[in-house]
Amino acid sequence: MAEAGVSEDRNHILLIEDDDFIREIFRIFLEDFGYQVSEANNGRTGLELFREKRPDLVMLDLRMPEMDGLDVLAEVKRESPDTPTVVVSGMGTIGDVIKALKLGAWDYIAKPVQDMTVLQHSVAKNLERAALIRENKRYREHLEQEVQKRTAEIEERTRELEKAYESVTAEVEERRRVEQVLRWVNREQKMLSACNHAVVRAADELALARELCAILVETGGYAFSWVGFSAGPEKAEALLPVACVSGEDATLTAADIDWQEAAVALALAGRAVETGQRQSRVAADSGRDILPRRAGATKVPYGACLALPLVASGNTLGALLLYTPEREKDPGAESRLLGELADDLAYGIYALRARTERRRIREELQIGVDRLGSALEGTVKVLASTVEVRDPYTAGHQKRVATLAARIGQHMGLEQNRIDGIYMAGLVHDLGKIYIPAEILSKPNTLSDIELSLIRTHPQVGYDLLKTIDFSWPIAQIVLQHHERLNGEGYPNGLKGDEILPEARILTVADVVEAMASHRPYRPARGVERALREIRAKRGSVLDPRAVDACLDLFETNQIDFANL
């Protein structure tokens, strides 16, 4: 028999029991506690009701007509693995109990039920556990999606930055180097050599521009030189003077020039920038032109001037202007040499800007990597905390094991990257215990065989939870193997010797020491000394000898204090 509808405000329990009397007692008892109950008097009807109503919990007998309880349990778990199931039976053997638990039953209650509060406790506990599992699943899915989203964003940004970096590097590398053998007189050779050295040594583009102006005047013999940078891509011909040097006045700076009155010089430089070609001008026949100075400053006369565009990788960066004191000397006579010098100056400025851009790109890339690392570490810590919330007796166990294992790896001389992986694995090595009932984890006396078999599933469960996460280390494998032993008597896979990862062997030693030295609900702490005697006795036969030696040395030389782990 079944109800016509189910309220969404109360937890819905499907009761499958062929004994009408027991089914009626259970239904009344559960409804008194506010549960909505649907009933079925055989396995086949119960399975049909399960598929129709999708209850929050299924309570069933093992021995029933038409369809056996174990068959119903198997179908329920196949269709809805997360639905809590409680077996209530008085006919089953211990083999039936084990089979029911292996099929996925969350609890087993023997009939007759002498104390109905046992039934209520089992229902409430398993409904609460199911709610926690659903919440954890939703949280994990959201967290995984967020990590994947952030990872994708960082990877996309990384690809863009790498592409930009490669483009800049390619452009810089394509810049040709001056290889022409200097055929000019000693003065021109020294000038070009000095300019090249300035470009190579340069750390700042303004300092480079002033140094080249000084070389042209002091070594090249020019009366005056100045460099102007383009104001911007849309105003390339508008120049901003940034450096100047005068042979007649060593104290002259760009601030001393009245650039608003220097129309000839600025126009000449503007044409050079606009056309990308050198521009020259000889002073008028009536006398030498004057480069206007501000009031009170010495005037700088010149007989001819030459403007050279500064072009690198197709970008016009500005212009270089040179002045000679004599009308008769045409600056264009040395245009080839000066063109190479201007190219070197442009290359130096472009390379400095590219270097600054590369530095910025590297910093952004590192920030992205650091954020990803922080997000990953935060994710691992959140996963670790989920176990400790359910098992207060072992709170801090994973962190202490992780810290001790990392110290052992460090003492063994492992690379920092591997030590980091061991630490991260230690933080979540007992993650699989999240699927073990809390009452088993905190049971104050000896575990039964069934309970022990459930406990021993936690490495595999932890592996299944972690295997899809793309860590930089084999975290899932380390977690899977941390209860394996060198002699093959460990679990879950009975691995031997080198079949076990070195990181897992280190984690095993740390886990044994911490577990023995700490309090457990079923026994008091045995102390560090007894734990060290235990690992010394099992060195080489059960536990990794190098890891044991490193651990013993850390404690015996007082390099580590267990109380402060």
Side-chain angles (χ1 to χ4, degrees):
M1 93 186 190
E3 299 180 0
V6 177
S7 171
E8 296 182 356
D9 296 330
R10 295 185 291 169
N11 283 315
H12 176 209
I13 298 175
L14 173 58
L15 178 60
I16 309 175
E17 168 63 61
D18 61 330
D19 189 310
D20 295 340
F21 177 75
I22 293 176
R23 189 174 67 252
E24 181 68 9
I25 290 175
F26 283 5
R27 179 185 64 77
I28 294 172
F29 179 78
L30 293 172
E31 286 181 343
D32 286 343
F33 276 91
Y35 298 112
Q36 186 77 34
V37 180
S38 296
E39 303 175 54
N41 59 8
N42 63 70
R44 189 171 305 283
T45 302
L47 186 58
E48 291 173 355
L49 276 175
F50 171 78
R51 289 167 176 165
E52 174 187 352
K53 296 183 177 295
R54 292 295 178 183
D56 298 305
L57 182 142
V58 177
M59 183 177 294
L60 72 161
D61 193 5
L62 287 182
R63 300 288 184 264
M64 293 185 294
E66 295 194 28
M67 190 172 187
D68 186 75
L70 290 176
D71 294 335
V72 175
L73 176 61
E75 283 298 309
V76 168
K77 286 301 172 183
R78 184 182 64 81
E79 296 179 14
S80 181
D82 293 334
T83 298
T85 51
V86 178
V87 175
V88 183
S89 178
M91 303 294 293
T93 65
I94 188 64
D96 292 329
V97 175
I98 294 173
K99 188 172 182 181
L101 292 175
K102 285 185 176 180
L103 284 173
W106 286 27
D107 204 351
Y108 189 101
I109 300 174
K111 290 192 297 189
V113 181
Q114 302 294 336
D115 185 357
M116 293 296 283
T117 59
V118 173
L119 188 70
Q120 158 61 11
H121 175 71
S122 177
V123 169
K125 175 193 66 177
N126 286 297
L127 286 172
E128 180 182 3
R129 178 186 170 196
L132 288 173
I133 290 175
R134 289 193 299 272
E135 180 64 24
N136 182 63
K137 185 176 180 181
R138 286 194 297 270
Y139 175 80
R140 188 170 62 252
E141 290 173 349
H142 172 73
L143 186 60
E144 290 174 352
Q145 291 172 358
E146 189 65 21
V147 170
Q148 290 172 357
K149 177 183 176 182
R150 297 297 185 189
T151 300
E153 292 174 353
I154 291 173
E155 288 176 347
E156 179 61 24
R157 181 59 178 160
T158 299
R159 285 191 294 269
E160 292 175 358
L161 294 175
E162 287 176 345
K163 184 177 180 180
Y165 175 81
E166 291 171 357
S167 176
V168 171
T169 301
E171 291 178 2
V172 172
E173 290 175 349
E174 288 174 1
R175 282 296 304 152
R176 65 180 181 83
R177 297 283 185 173
V178 176
E179 296 178 351
Q180 178 183 354
V181 178
L182 299 176
R183 295 176 295 177
W184 304 97
V185 295
N186 188 52
R187 179 175 62 85
E188 283 79 12
Q189 289 176 333
K190 288 182 179 180
M191 180 177 64
L192 184 57
S193 177
C195 289
N196 286 335
H197 280 93
V199 170
V200 171
R201 295 192 309 270
D204 175 79
E205 59 186 74
L206 297 181
L208 174 62
R210 177 164 179 79
E211 186 172 358
L212 260 65
C213 287
I215 291 171
L216 288 165
V217 171
E218 296 167 6
T219 304
Y222 290 93
F224 184 81
S225 66
W226 68 270
V227 172
F229 287 165
S230 295
E234 297 180 357
K235 295 182 178 181
E237 71 282 357
L239 294 177
L240 175 65
V242 296
C244 68
V245 174
S246 169
E248 297 184 8
D249 186 355
T251 65
L252 182 71
T253 66
D256 296 322
I257 306 298
D258 189 352
W259 295 104
Q260 291 183 349
E261 297 295 328
V264 174
L266 290 177
L268 198 67
R271 286 198 300 272
V273 170
E274 186 177 2
T275 63
Q277 303 292 327
R278 72 176 183 88
Q279 302 291 322
S280 61
R281 181 180 186 279
V282 178
D285 293 340
S286 57
R288 295 188 297 177
D289 289 340
I290 301 297
L291 185 63
R293 299 287 300 275
R294 296 192 184 279
T298 304
K299 295 184 178 181
V300 181
Y302 67 89
C305 67
L306 174 69
L308 296 157
L310 302 177
V311 181
S313 296
N315 298 310
T316 302
L317 308 179
L320 167 67
L321 269 76
L322 301 171
Y323 300 83
T324 62
E326 304 88 4
R327 286 183 68 254
E328 292 77 12
K329 182 175 181 180
D330 180 4
E334 298 175 353
S335 60
R336 181 178 180 185
L337 172 67
L338 295 173
E340 292 177 1
L341 189 148
D343 286 345
D344 287 346
L345 174 58
Y347 169 78
I349 294 170
Y350 185 79
L352 287 169
R353 293 178 180 177
R355 184 188 307 168
T356 301
E357 179 65 13
R358 288 198 302 273
R359 185 183 302 113
R360 184 189 65 80
I361 291 172
R362 285 196 298 270
E363 289 173 354
E364 289 184 1
L365 181 61
Q366 187 59 48
I367 290 172
V369 172
D370 291 344
R371 286 177 177 170
L372 179 59
S374 297
L376 182 60
E377 183 175 355
T379 300
V380 170
K381 289 181 178 178
V382 168
L383 290 174
S385 67
T386 58
V387 176
E388 296 182 353
V389 167
R390 299 184 65 248
D391 185 10
Y393 288 100
T394 57
H397 165 72
Q398 293 187 114
K399 186 177 186 300
R400 289 192 294 272
V401 170
T403 302
L404 179 56
R407 291 293 302 275
I408 293 172
Q410 186 180 42
H411 203 61
M412 291 171 63
L414 299 185
E415 296 176 355
Q416 187 59 46
N417 184 56
R418 294 182 68 188
I419 295 172
D420 293 341
I422 292 172
Y423 181 78
M424 295 292 259
L427 288 177
V428 293
H429 74 277
D430 279 341
L431 178 63
K433 289 183 179 179
I434 194 172
Y435 282 133
I436 298 175
E439 61 270 20
I440 295 179
L441 294 176
S442 58
K443 186 176 181 180
N445 46 34
T446 304
L447 297 176
S448 68
D449 291 342
I450 295 176
E451 292 167 335
L452 187 58
S453 67
L454 282 175
I455 289 288
R456 289 189 171 186
T457 63
H458 80 271
Q460 182 67 51
V461 174
Y463 170 79
D464 292 337
L465 291 172
L466 296 169
K467 65 183 180 181
T468 58
I469 302 177
D470 187 16
F471 290 104
S472 300
W473 316 277
I475 299 295
Q477 285 292 338
I478 297 173
V479 169
L480 178 65
Q481 297 177 11
H482 80 276
H483 275 290
E484 301 287 358
R485 299 295 184 260
L486 295 181
N487 59 5
E489 295 181 359
Y491 60 88
N493 296 316
L495 301 181
K496 295 182 179 180
D498 291 339
E499 294 175 342
I500 307 170
L501 290 174
E503 292 86 348
R505 300 201 293 265
I506 293 172
L507 189 63
T508 297
V509 172
D511 195 24
V512 170
V513 171
E514 201 287 332
M516 290 189 66
S518 300
H519 174 76
R520 289 293 182 268
Y522 52 85
R523 60 157 174 81
R526 294 175 177 175
V528 175
E529 291 301 323
R530 185 169 177 181
L532 296 181
R533 289 198 301 272
E534 176 75 9
I535 65 171
R536 184 182 285 109
K538 294 183 177 180
R539 178 188 180 278
S541 59
V542 176
L543 302 176
D544 183 84
R546 288 189 63 211
V548 170
D549 291 344
C551 182
L552 292 173
D553 190 55
L554 283 171
F555 281 99
E556 291 171 354
T557 57
N558 296 319
Q559 296 182 53
I560 196 166
D561 181 7
F562 183 81
N564 294 323
L565 281 178

